[in-house]
């Protein structure tokens, strides 16, 4: 049993409160008790104390569209507050693009609010099929299938394709949906160190005679670091060891590549990747997920992907908005160019002014702080100054490497960016979260 789980539980039982400063979210998951509710007790009071101190900057309710600036109902003052939004995945600003909104409204008027069924029964519309064709073309694949979310796309795909005699070889920082999909499938799991090609080859060698099918699974863009997977090297090893490749393009679609098509486009490897999954909720500005692959694999997953055929289909209005979003990505490349210009400006300015910001070629910037309690206090201060960004504590990152994830948009103005940088620089210097000989090693290479 986790000792801190027991201490937290006893503290709540004895005092009716919990000092959140001494704990992390990972300290409440291993409590030995006959009552399954006991594990929730101490975590509840942990969050309660966290909120009372003003550190809990998650779930701040937006009362306007997710744009470069938003209005929220401030949980601490109970007043309406304007904030610069750099905490969303709306990288291209398409959630409230006039054409995207219009497409959704017209489809709602024509088809109604919901799909009315699962896809295999009455939930497939002409718009569903049109969206699937556009996604297949985007990823250089023969066919595609839509899921309710990117999470269910990964779970359904992995669970359908892998069996107990197979092996999934995954990057250590693979998304939670990939890990969960592997566990649910009952397959064997081998993990290699993040972006370490030598370790990947070692795992492939060890798997040669031990397992039957081999599937290498990586993120196209890693959500907490913003780095891009080493796809050419991975492809070379996959061919050498007779393995298939699956790339989760959640944070890559619409963002990287000459044409914004994702990781394969970035490396000029379109049509060379066995399986591409992703979400429709980030740069595309909607909701849902997808699998793109050969026509045989896609049809197989339609029939064997439980998270597909046991889930209600996407509403036609969402499909229509997503089709329009894909067309905008093709027709308005300047949006992507503006996004990368904004990202580069923020990195150059913060880095040159002494902040521990990680380099990136994606739309995700990491501002490394170090200790989690410092992260919490800084998060409160950044919120007060009007910038909406997300703190990322352990266990999402290693202990001692707490960070903020900064997600600029194509729609941010120069004034937005300069004001955001002013806030970050001010707070980082207030809390001494700047480059030094002792904390330079917090920035991942």
């Amino acid at each position: 049993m986790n000792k801190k789980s027991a201490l937290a539980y006893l503290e709540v039982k004895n005092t009716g409160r919990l000092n959140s400063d001494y704990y992390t979210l990972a300290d409440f998951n291993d409590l030995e008790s006959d009552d399954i509710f006991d594990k929730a007790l101490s975590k509840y009071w942990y969050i309660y104390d966290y909120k009372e101190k003003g550190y809990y900057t998650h779930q701040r309710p937006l009362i306007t569209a997710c744009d470069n600036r938003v209005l929220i109902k401030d949980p601490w003052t109970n007043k309406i507050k304007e904030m610069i939004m750099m905490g969303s995945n709306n990288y291209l600003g398409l959630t409230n693009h006039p054409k995207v909104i219009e497409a959704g409204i017209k489809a709602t008027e024509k088809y109604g609010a919901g799909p009315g069924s699962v896809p295999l029964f009455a939930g497939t519309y002409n718009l569903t099929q049109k969206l699937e064709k556009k996604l297949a073309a985007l990823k250089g694949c023969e066919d595609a299938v839509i899921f309710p979310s990117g999470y269910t796309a990964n779970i359904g795909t992995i669970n359908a394709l892998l069996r107990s005699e197979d092996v999934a070889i995954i990057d250590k920082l693979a998304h939670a949906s990939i890990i969960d999909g592997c566990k649910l499938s009952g397959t064997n799991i081998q993990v290699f160190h993040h972006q370490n090609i030598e370790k990947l080859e070692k795992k492939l060698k060890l798997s040669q005679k031990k397992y039957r099918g081999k599937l290498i699974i990586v993120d196209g863009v890693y959500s907490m670091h913003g780095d891009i997977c080493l796809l050419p090297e991975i492809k070379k090893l996959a061919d050498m060891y007779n393995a298939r490749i699956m790339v989760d393009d959640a944070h890559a679609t619409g963002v990287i590549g000459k044409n914004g098509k994702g990781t394969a486009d970035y490396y000029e490897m379109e049509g060379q990747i066995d399986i591409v999954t992703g979400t429709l909720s980030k740069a595309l500005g909607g909701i849902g997920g997808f699998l793109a692959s050969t026509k045989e694999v896609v049809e197989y997953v339609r029939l064997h992907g439980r998270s597909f055929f046991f889930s209600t289909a996407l509403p036609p209005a969402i499909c229509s908005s997503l089709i329009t979003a894909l067309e905008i990505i093709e027709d308005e490349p300047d949006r992507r160019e503006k996004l990368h210009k904004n990202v580069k400006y923020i990195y150059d300015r913060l880095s040159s002014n002494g902040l521990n910001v990680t380099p990136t070629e994606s739309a995700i910037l990491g501002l490394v702080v170090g200790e989690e309690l410092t992260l919490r206090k800084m998060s409160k201060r950044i919120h007060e100054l009007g910038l909406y960004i997300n703190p990322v504590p352990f266990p999402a990152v290693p202990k001692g490497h707490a960070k903020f994830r900064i997600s600029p948009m194509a729609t941010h103005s120069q004034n937005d960016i300069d004001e955001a940088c002013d806030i970050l620089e001010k707070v980082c210097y207030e809390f001494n979260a700047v480059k030094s000989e002792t904390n330079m090693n917090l920035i991942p290479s």
Side-chain angles (χ1 to χ4, degrees), residues 381-411:
R381 186 79 177 105
I382 289 168
H383 169 85
E384 291 169 347
L385 293 173
L387 176 61
Y388 196 122
I389 59 173
N390 296 311
V392 184
F394 176 80
V397 293
K399 283 187 177 180
H401 289 71
K403 65 165 65 175
F404 290 99
R405 186 169 74 173
I406 308 167
S407 301
M409 300 183 198
T411 50

Side-chain angles (χ1 to χ4, degrees), residues 169-179 190-196 217-227 229 248 251 395-398 403 444-445:
I169 305 172
I170 67 175
D171 188 287
K172 185 178 181 180
L173 297 186
H175 191 265
S177 58
I178 293 171
I179 297 167
Q190 293 288 322
V191 180
F192 63 94
H193 294 302
H194 180 55
Q195 300 278 50
N196 191 316
I217 312 177
V218 294
D219 289 21
V221 171
Y222 287 90
S223 59
M224 292 303 163
H225 291 298
D227 51 335
C229 76
D248 179 354
H251 291 273
V397 293
K403 65 165 65 175
S445 57

Side-chain angles (χ1 to χ4, degrees), residues 274-347:
D274 301 300
I275 300 167
V276 183
T277 59
T279 178
L280 306 169
S281 62
K282 295 181 170 50
L284 294 179
I287 192 169
F290 68 90
L291 154 69
S293 187
T294 65
K295 59 182 184 296
E296 295 88 356
V297 166
V298 169
E299 194 62 32
Y300 182 85
V301 172
R302 281 196 179 102
L303 298 173
H304 293 271
R306 293 167 66 86
S307 59
F308 169 73
F309 64 74
F310 283 121
S311 298
T312 297
L314 285 188
I318 296 294
C319 293
S320 184
S321 290
L322 288 165
I323 290 165
T324 303
L326 286 168
E327 291 169 352
I328 291 169
I329 288 174
E330 293 175 8
D331 298 339
E332 300 182 17
D334 54 307
R335 280 183 174 265
R336 190 168 61 259
E337 292 165 9
K338 179 72 184 326
L339 170 65
H340 287 288
K341 180 181 176 183
N342 287 348
V343 171
K344 185 178 186 304
Y345 180 90
I346 293 171
Y347 171 77

